[in-house]
Amino acid sequence: VVEEKDGLRVYKSPTTPDDPAAGVLDVLEVAAADLGRSLGGLLGEAEALLHATTYAINAIVTARTGRCAFLTTEGHPDILLFREGGRDVAFDFSRSYPEPYVPRALTFEVPERIGPGGEIVEPLDRTATEAIVEQLAAAAVEAVSVCLLWSISNPKHELEVARLLDARLPGVPYTLSHQLNPIIREYRRASATAIDASLKPIMTRYLAGLAERLKSAGFAGRLLVVTSAGGVLDASTVAQAPIHAVRSGPAMAPIAGRHFARRDAGAETAIVTDAGGTTFDVSLVRRGEIPFTQEAWIGPRYTGHMTGFPSVDVKSIGAGGGSIAWVDDEGLLHVGPMSAGAVPGPACYLRGGGDATLTDAAVALGLIDPERFLGGTMRLDRAAATAALERNVGRLLGLEIDTAAAAVMELTSEQMVKAILGITLEQGIDPSDAVLIAGGGAAGLNAARVARRLGGPLVVVPEVTAVLSAAGALLADLRAAFAITVRATDTERFDFDSINRALATLENRCAEFIAGPGAGAVSTSVSFSAYCRYPEQVWDLELPLRVSRFDGDAEVETLAGDFHRLHAEVFGISDDAARVEIMGLRASASCQINRVAEHRLLETSDSSREVRTRSAFFPRVGRVEAPVHALDSLGSGTRITGPAIVESPVTTVVIDVEDEAERSDGGSLLIRGASGIRDAARERKELAP
Amino acid sequence: VNSGIRMALLANRLEGIVLSMMNTLVRTGRSGVLNTARDFSCCLLTADHDLLAMAESQPIHVLSGPDLMARSMVELHPQLRRGDAFLHNCPYHGNSHAADHSILVPVMDREGRHRMTVLAKAHQADCGNSVPTTFAAAARDVYEEGALIFPCVRVQSDYRDNEDVIRMCELRIRVPEQWRGDYLALLGAARIGERQVMELADELAWAALEEHAGEWFDYSERRMAGAIARLPPGSIVVETAHDPFPGVPDGIPIRVGIRVSTGPRRIEVDLRDNPDNVPCGLNLSEATARTAAMLGAFNAIGAEVPPNAGSFRCLDVLLRENCVVGVPRHPASCSVATTNLADRVASAVQRGIAELCEGAGMAEVGPTQPAAWAVISGRDPRRNHRPFVNQLILSAVTGGAGGPQADGWLSLGGIGDAGMMFRDSVELDELRFPIRVAEQRIVPDTEGAGRFRGVPSALVEYGPVASQLEVLFASDGSMNPARGVRGGHPGFPARQYRRRADGSLEELPPYAHITLNPGETIVSVSAAGGGYGPPRERAAERVRHDVAEGWISAARARDVYGANALKLPLAPG
């Protein structure tokens, strides 16, 4: 809850899976009660409610979406079955091949064919298509997805199918691939289309129901939904294209991370991490740009479903507080991939979980205070944590409990380091030149250690770290992106007319968005980019454009030069003599709707200001009686040196030996590695070829 | 520090290095086989040429081969220096086949000692063969094959190219700028690996890395021994055969001897009792003969065992010189060494282990490579008749075998890639080449039936749009389909046809080099995978699913799976 001229307060309430809208109202009740207000009073004054939900993704994972049909070009019924190949393990054939997103039994082949240039190879057979629509009616489908080959070059046939659906199945929602996601590669376009259509029945019901209940509780403001693209959109817009909401949760962390990197460190390049109970999410903000991908997965890579839809690029690994530590038959320590989750949870939760988890290791090492977990709202059992570690790790490796627990922490840190290096190397970024934003309630446990392994980037632990995504949502803009696939052109034979025409079309769409949903925004901006590559490459790089129209050769040369630089930066090589192909264009419109740029966290309960001590285990020095500072007690500019622990009701930050921590003006905790680490990293780089 | 901890930490970091090499390759490669299909691999080897880390590489590229190649590098070039890089594609010196170009970089310490080798290997779109294919099955010998052979040739010194070698390739490899782009990608990957290994050594010291390798190998050996301990001791001879091809009119009968012993826990695979080298491109190289045997064993029992030189100690592969599935005698051609006979050997090993032990092993994988994976070439009328050449890796190639716990993996194109290869997008292929893909679908009732079934065949039809298209393929499995095991049924055989302009079908031989005119197409049916266990033991729920989803007909459910008593839904129209 954010109040004008006041600050940010954080409230939590359990989710209510059977009726998620009830959970939203529950938590608003909690907030109203804490503020001494009535729910109606609070809602009546609210300008906007920003809503992030896992409702869509949960519906997919639990197969509770609408009964959806898939219509595609005759001869190609198995696009969703074949996918794009790929497996991540070589020899394990004990897992079943994934089912297609839409069953084959609900897949229909439309007699028609369009070629790559948009030419009609075979006209759509209207009679046969009408017969298919009759079958859809007979099968009582609740939604229809339509993805025809090369509809991105010529949408005529998809539009004809739409007309037949409108006529015979009015009220049954459908999605056309060229409208939703105009990208080449039929599997990912079809997958996005099918996911979107299948969500329409349930998301329309859910969002309309939520809006209705909020209204009857007194809410008269704007209901905004957080999107996978790191922005917000009106709930009614999301109901029409619900794929926007599929990965809305993780998408907000980079938005928040970018803000804190700028505010606390003046940095434009940030590694943003979000450590949760079961996963560790990483994303990379480069030059202030939020990273995008079209290869986001729902569920595991290769066996889940690719959304194929541009979304904020966040990679997840299975390393969270609930990750289970175990030792195999031959004495090798593992952490994960299995997780104890929230139920039964870590052994120290005393909810019946007997496995030793990362959280148990942190409790056993004295890093987490079992009496003050989540501000003391949940008591943990240190003896249970220690016993689980002793049983599942220590005894099997012949180790003291501290050594065993420290090894679990270290191995987890290494897995996080690998995930971060993967994403930074992919983008050609040296992690020691970035800022590490440690998000998530458990982030502070090993953020400093992870940073040390990355060559010592500055660590920023935001005050709102435990609710980093929610903080991101408050900073998010109303945002829409539009893409056009262009007839391939290149920098040697640049097609000025078609590129400028496409840019004008995109600019108009942005203007419409700004004048429509964006009306009344504090400020607006439009940016353009091009999808470029060298001849014969098939993966594009998205290159920000400096101009909104190309007037002459000089601007084309600038584009080529920018691409060579980008390619060299990302891949270490460039081919300066080669021409650059332009495959598509993209524009995005952002409307800043929130007047208040940032919010300080207001404590919702009293916290102690005295410095306590407790026995805790630190790398390199082992057990020490370490000072424990309440985050609130540290004024801005106050410096402390490790070993030390900084606690707030929602998080614990470990300051390792010789590391220095400082409270920033904005309330974040900044951790710098011992001097010299950074220099050592630089020296290594110079010695390398 | 405890070894169980140190090993876990270092193994994690070495995997990370290999993954960043692979990432560089896929993102910068120019040819479709590289940047779309990901037909490439990367690995790290110790100074003693032992395989240390391979991440998500294709097994056929790396289980054995990199070890032999790294050894040849040291033997042929005793004076290694920092900044060296070697181009290696020679099947007589440890490479898989001539179309896999490998870059080896020796990682040298400050004193100039060779400490580790990094290797990046990628299947090329073309390698200069006498005919436009990277699988010259009809070549009588290496001379007729025609590929440029590089027996570990120094292609960089002091981090600079030896331009002589580059120029040779540019004059003899089709679409040279495409090759050149892939070469840069391979080199970039190897150099990234080199840099990261050196950074790791700076941080930890070489001795620590060497100590880790020793511990890691011992640990992996114990894991493999543990997996073998679950098998009963015993031996079996498994017979299989490759279809007739040019140069081998009667096909190639193969005998694979398998012995599981528990004295020391070992699996021995004996490939010596087999024909001499044959006058065609099907001969295996030493690397692929060894790897095929190991691959079958890993598929059979090794799902959880780290594949490296340590676990390999438990596998004894017996080869003989001048043998079609052994050590090739120059000038025998090994042009097709990574697929056809390699798949036969690996399938035989995993089937043999299944015969020895219920619950282990697998049925046979559908033999490769159907006409849907032909190498196509020609000139593109849309681009001023620019020449093109590339292997099609279309989606609809399915061959996964039934196993003891699951049905076949649908997108398994061959046993050697382990399903890790990616598939072409129809739209992308039609954009890049002047072709049209008319159809891709699975074919009902073709699966090797079983308690766990093989995957069905898939049908693909494609052809040129407005120009001539040269097509070469070498498809096994038309006469000798994939066998089932422990009561499982065989899969449907491969088929290939030319559809003439008048619509009639002409059956084509398994190996064909033909030119299609506009209006003509290739119709390819891939070989289905074999089944594991008796079909009548298949769970009713699975049979019901297969009927509902159109994988099998209701008649087949009744006749083959004995599903009389089941209430079956109607198959979709």
Side-chain angles (χ1 to χ4, degrees):
Chain A
V1 172
V2 180
E3 293 189 278
E4 195 111 21
K5 298 193 191 80
D6 187 350
L8 174 70
R9 294 176 198 271
V10 177
Y11 301 97
K12 287 189 175 189
S13 175
T15 51
T16 45
D18 294 338
D19 179 10
V24 176
L25 286 146
D26 285 353
V27 75
L28 289 167
E29 290 271 16
V30 171
D34 184 71
L35 296 167
R37 314 266 294 274
S38 71
L39 178 59
L42 180 66
L43 284 176
E45 285 176 34
E47 281 175 34
L49 191 140
L50 277 66
H51 181 43
T53 177
T54 55
Y55 189 64
I57 197 164
N58 285 346
I60 294 169
V61 172
T62 57
R64 285 189 307 201
T65 56
R67 182 175 165 81
C68 178
F70 175 56
L71 270 56
T72 187
T73 300
E74 186 177 49
H76 299 269
D78 287 325
I79 289 173
L80 293 173
L81 176 69
F82 291 138
R83 308 164 155 242
E84 292 178 354
R87 277 174 101 229
D88 54 358
V89 287
F91 308 114
D92 182 359
F93 288 99
S94 65
R95 287 185 286 173
S96 296
Y97 187 83
E99 293 290 323
Y101 188 81
V102 174
R104 298 184 84 236
L106 286 174
T107 297
F108 299 86
E109 300 175 51
V110 179
E112 65 84 34
R113 186 63 145 92
I114 286 169
E119 68 278 14
I120 292 176
V121 177
E122 185 193 331
L124 181 128
D125 181 335
R126 199 184 153 90
T127 314
T129 309
E130 278 168 347
I132 290 171
V133 177
E134 285 305 322
Q135 285 179 271
L136 298 178
V141 300
E142 297 168 282
V144 182
S145 53
V146 186
C147 178
L148 306 179
L149 291 179
W150 290 116
S151 63
I152 48 170
S153 295
N154 182 350
K156 182 166 183 279
H157 289 173
E158 281 192 1
L159 293 170
E160 281 182 38
V161 172
R163 276 192 291 276
L164 296 175
L165 290 170
D166 284 335
R168 178 63 183 87
L169 294 174
V172 174
Y174 59 80
T175 302
L176 307 181
S177 77
H178 78 276
Q179 289 175 349
L180 179 75
N181 193 28
I183 56 164
I184 193 167
R185 288 188 175 86
E186 62 279 5
Y187 165 68
R188 44 186 75 185
R189 190 170 77 250
S191 186
T193 308
I195 289 169
D196 186 67
S198 74
L199 288 170
K200 279 181 174 170
I202 60 158
M203 283 302 279
T204 305
R205 274 198 299 275
Y206 169 66
L207 290 172
L210 177 64
E212 186 52 42
R213 280 152 84 168
L214 286 168
K215 195 175 154 196
S216 52
F219 179 61
R222 192 168 182 183
L223 177 58
L224 294 163
V225 174
V226 170
T227 71
S228 317
V232 295
L233 285 171
D234 285 300
S236 54
T237 310
V238 171
Q240 284 160 25
I243 195 170
H244 280 295
V246 158
R247 285 173 55 84
S248 60
M252 282 299 147
I255 308 285
R258 173 173 66 180
H259 170 74
F260 293 116
R262 279 179 179 157
R263 191 196 68 181
D264 293 325
E268 289 292 301
T269 298
I271 300 157
V272 185
T273 66
D274 198 347
T278 51
T279 60
F280 176 76
D281 294 346
V282 193
S283 56
L284 181 71
V285 174
R286 187 170 60 169
R287 282 195 295 261
E289 300 276 344
I290 300 295
F292 275 80
T293 180
Q294 290 182 339
E295 294 182 19
W297 290 87
I298 296 171
R301 189 170 58 129
Y302 304 141
T303 52
H305 299 284
M306 192 194 282
T307 70
F309 195 73
S311 52
V312 175
D313 190 3
V314 180
K315 300 249 182 340
S316 277
I317 60 165
S323 291
I324 294 170
W326 56 288
V327 175
D328 69 29
D329 292 348
E330 300 301 336
L332 190 72
L333 175 66
H334 301 255
V335 180
M338 310 80 73
S339 170
V343 181
C348 61
Y349 282 17
L350 292 181
R351 286 181 187 160
D355 289 312
T357 65
L358 185 64
T359 300
D360 293 310
V363 169
L365 291 171
L367 303 176
I368 292 178
D369 185 344
E371 306 294 327
R372 290 168 183 266
F373 191 60
L374 297 182
T377 55
M378 183 173 170
R379 272 201 76 241
L380 303 180
D381 190 293
R382 178 178 296 161
T386 310
L389 278 160
E390 167 67 20
R391 187 171 58 242
N392 296 339
V393 179
R395 201 174 304 155
L396 299 173
L397 292 177
L399 294 176
E400 294 293 310
I401 204 71
D402 276 352
T403 320
V408 172
M409 291 292 299
E410 191 179 359
L411 183 54
T412 310
S413 302
E414 274 306 323
Q415 291 171 349
M416 293 172 174
V417 166
K418 186 161 90 172
I420 293 171
L421 285 177
I423 202 165
T424 50
L425 285 163
E426 195 176 296
Q427 295 295 320
I429 294 286
D430 178 344
S432 66
D433 292 339
V435 168
L436 180 73
I437 308 294
L445 291 175
N446 63 349
R449 179 186 323 212
V450 167
R452 194 172 316 120
R453 274 278 290 110
L454 295 172
L458 175 72
V459 179
V460 177
V461 187
E463 198 174 48
V464 293
T465 181
V467 288
L468 192 66
S469 291
L474 292 174
L475 298 162
D477 292 339
L478 194 68
R479 202 165 178 287
F482 307 96
I484 292 184
T485 305
V486 293
R487 199 77 50 91
T489 184
D490 64 50
T491 47
E492 273 175 24
R493 293 164 302 175
F494 194 79
D495 186 346
F496 286 91
D497 281 351
S498 82
I499 293 285
N500 284 335
R501 231 182 0 257
L503 286 168
T505 305
L506 290 171
E507 193 164 32
N508 283 338
R509 286 190 204 161
C510 289
E512 280 168 26
F513 179 78
I514 289 169
V522 178
S523 67
T524 65
S525 66
V526 174
S527 61
F528 297 94
S529 55
Y531 293 104
C532 301
R533 66 188 195 195
Y534 288 128
E536 305 301 335
Q537 287 185 331
V538 297
W539 300 106
D540 317 319
L541 283 175
E542 188 179 345
L543 179 72
L545 293 181
R546 299 173 192 244
V547 292
S548 58
R549 294 290 185 286
F550 287 85
D551 294 328
D553 292 340
E555 282 157 353
V556 177
E557 268 170 46
T558 304
L559 179 146
D562 286 347
F563 180 75
H564 296 318
R565 261 190 301 282
L566 180 66
H567 198 276
E569 189 176 301
V570 174
F571 298 124
I573 52 168
S574 63
D575 192 350
D576 295 356
R579 58 188 197 279
V580 177
E581 294 183 344
I582 295 100
M583 310 305 296
L585 296 164
R586 181 170 185 268
S588 64
S590 289
C591 310
Q592 191 194 333
I593 49 172
N594 207 335
R595 251 166 274 275
V596 190
E598 67 173 81
H599 311 280
R600 286 298 300 266
L601 188 67
L602 301 174
E603 295 294 350
T604 49
S605 61
D606 291 327
S607 56
S608 161
R609 294 186 163 266
E610 77 204 77
V611 179
R612 292 169 291 121
T613 65
R614 75 167 172 262
S615 163
F617 186 96
F618 289 81
R620 290 177 289 169
V621 291
R623 278 260 163 204
V624 291
E625 195 65 25
V628 180
H629 305 266
L631 181 63
D632 262 7
S633 70
L634 302 176
S636 76
T638 314
R639 289 189 176 199
I640 51 172
T641 307
I645 292 171
V646 179
E647 280 181 349
S648 82
V650 290
T651 194
T652 302
V653 184
V654 176
I655 317 295
D656 281 341
V657 181
E658 291 176 9
D659 283 1
E660 253 186 13
E662 179 185 342
R663 193 93 193 269
S664 77
D665 293 341
S668 298
L669 200 61
L670 312 182
I671 308 172
R672 285 187 189 80
S675 59
I677 292 172
R678 221 177 143 80
D679 297 337
R682 295 223 177 281
E683 188 188 348
R684 263 210 311 278
K685 258 180 296 174
E686 280 158 19
L687 288 171
Chain B
V1 185
N2 180 286
S3 71
I5 298 167
R6 187 173 46 205
M7 274 196 296
L9 294 171
L10 268 173
N12 187 67
R13 293 189 65 173
L14 293 170
E15 289 280 301
I17 293 176
V18 179
L19 287 173
S20 54
M21 293 171 70
M22 299 184 77
N23 186 45
T24 303
L25 256 178
V26 73
R27 303 281 309 269
T28 57
R30 303 285 178 97
S31 65
V33 286
L34 208 162
N35 59 24
T36 304
R38 297 178 65 116
D39 194 350
F40 64 80
S41 296
C42 298
C43 63
L44 304 179
L45 301 120
T46 65
D48 295 330
H49 323 306
D50 287 326
L51 180 68
L52 185 57
M54 63 177 260
E56 295 177 12
S57 290
Q58 292 187 43
I60 192 68
H61 280 165
V62 292
L63 295 190
S64 178
D67 52 343
L68 307 172
M69 294 157 87
R71 185 178 305 281
S72 75
M73 174 182 77
V74 171
E75 285 171 4
L76 299 174
H77 304 277
Q79 298 290 316
L80 295 173
R81 293 181 52 220
R82 184 177 287 195
D84 284 347
F86 297 90
L87 174 61
H88 193 331
N89 73 335
C90 177
Y92 314 104
H93 289 86
N95 191 37
S96 35
H97 71 150
D100 287 338
H101 281 195
S102 302
I103 294 288
L104 286 84
V105 166
V107 186
M108 314 299 288
D109 67 15
R110 283 182 222 294
E111 286 73 48
R113 258 178 73 192
H114 174 216
R115 293 291 199 159
M116 214 181 260
T117 303
V118 299
L119 183 146
K121 178 192 265 202
H123 189 130
Q124 304 297 302
D126 188 83
C127 61
N129 279 341
S130 58
V131 288
T133 175
T134 47
F135 299 97
R140 275 173 302 180
D141 50 32
V142 70
Y143 308 114
E144 193 168 305
E145 183 184 333
L148 276 169
I149 301 285
F150 296 99
C152 202
V153 169
R154 187 180 267 119
V155 73
Q156 277 202 332
S157 308
D158 298 320
Y159 299 103
R160 271 194 294 275
D161 279 344
N162 176 348
E163 295 288 344
D164 295 339
V165 176
I166 307 297
R167 277 189 288 270
M168 286 169 68
C169 291
E170 286 177 340
L171 286 173
R172 272 298 315 284
I173 294 177
R174 294 172 184 86
V175 194
E177 62 277 12
Q178 174 176 270
W179 171 82
R180 168 91 199 196
D182 282 358
Y183 164 76
L184 285 175
L186 271 171
L187 200 65
R191 291 298 184 199
I192 288 260
E194 176 193 29
R195 194 175 79 200
Q196 292 189 17
V197 168
M198 284 167 55
E199 286 175 5
L200 185 60
D202 277 343
E203 185 183 325
L204 302 174
W206 287 108
L209 285 181
E210 278 158 17
E211 196 180 335
H212 163 73
E215 282 180 350
W216 183 237
F217 292 150
D218 290 346
Y219 159 80
S220 304
E221 181 181 6
R222 294 196 303 273
R223 290 288 301 274
M224 190 64 168
I228 294 173
R230 294 196 279 271
L231 299 176
S235 61
I236 186 172
V237 174
V238 180
E239 296 191 340
T240 181
H242 191 283
D243 285 359
F245 255 45
V248 283
D250 300 322
I252 306 172
I254 298 294
R255 287 168 60 85
V256 179
I258 301 163
R259 196 172 69 197
V260 177
S261 57
T262 49
R265 294 190 174 114
R266 292 278 187 276
I267 294 177
E268 178 191 280
V269 179
D270 188 348
L271 298 178
R272 293 173 299 182
D273 185 14
N274 280 300
D276 290 346
N277 280 136
V278 291
C280 70
L282 291 175
N283 300 290
L284 296 191
S285 56
E286 180 180 353
T288 59
R290 228 172 255 296
T291 296
M294 296 159 75
L295 187 46
F298 265 88
N299 281 348
I301 59 163
E304 290 163 4
V305 180
N308 59 50
S311 46
F312 299 166
R313 289 176 195 150
C314 299
L315 304 176
D316 297 319
V317 183
L318 307 179
L319 302 178
R320 125 182 120 74
E321 205 250 337
N322 185 29
C323 173
V324 69
V325 289
V327 181
R329 180 182 288 170
H330 188 265
S333 169
C334 304
S335 183
V336 193
T338 50
T339 51
N340 294 38
L341 276 176
D343 275 38
R344 288 287 176 186
V345 169
S347 267
V349 172
Q350 66 188 36
R351 176 163 65 87
I353 291 173
E355 296 288 5
L356 288 172
C357 178
E358 171 68 48
M362 294 183 81
E364 289 188 356
V365 164
T368 57
Q369 317 182 48
W373 280 13
V375 176
I376 57 164
S377 56
R379 290 178 174 275
D380 190 342
R382 303 169 303 178
R383 295 191 173 92
N384 299 322
H385 300 279
R386 258 200 3 229
F388 63 88
V389 60
N390 192 37
Q391 185 180 10
L392 290 178
I393 309 282
L394 285 166
S395 290
V397 169
T398 56
Q405 291 155 291
D407 291 338
W409 187 263
L410 185 97
S411 62
L412 192 82
I415 226 173
D417 75 70
M420 295 175 117
M421 256 165 65
F422 284 60
R423 302 304 175 86
D424 293 358
S425 142
V426 168
E427 288 176 343
L428 210 53
D429 276 349
E430 292 185 353
L431 185 70
R432 285 161 66 78
F433 312 114
I435 63 167
R436 178 164 305 124
V437 181
E439 186 159 11
Q440 290 204 93
R441 67 174 75 238
I442 59 170
V443 186
D445 291 352
T446 52
E447 88 292 354
R451 188 192 308 134
F452 289 102
R453 56 165 172 71
V455 295
S457 301
L459 181 145
V460 177
E461 181 165 356
Y462 67 91
V465 174
S467 52
Q468 289 194 326
L469 185 71
E470 211 169 336
V471 176
L472 278 101
F473 58 83
S475 169
D476 189 12
S478 295
M479 289 180 63
N480 297 287
R483 295 184 210 193
V485 71
R486 302 196 76 83
H489 293 193
F492 191 79
R495 290 283 180 268
Q496 43 280 321
Y497 309 89
R498 180 207 314 245
R499 191 189 296 283
R500 300 195 192 90
D502 65 6
S504 63
L505 284 179
E506 164 199 355
E507 181 147 10
L508 295 173
Y511 171 84
H513 177 182
I514 59 173
T515 301
L516 296 177
N517 288 307
E520 295 183 322
T521 56
I522 293 287
V523 178
S524 158
V525 177
S526 64
Y532 192 105
R536 280 165 195 272
E537 293 179 9
R538 184 166 177 78
E541 195 40 55
R542 289 178 182 271
V543 179
R544 232 179 261 128
H545 166 273
D546 287 352
V547 175
E549 279 288 89
W551 294 66
I552 62 172
S553 62
R556 187 168 169 87
R558 195 174 51 238
D559 301 342
V560 176
Y561 291 92
N564 276 329
L566 304 175
K567 287 197 180 106
L568 293 169
L570 290 175

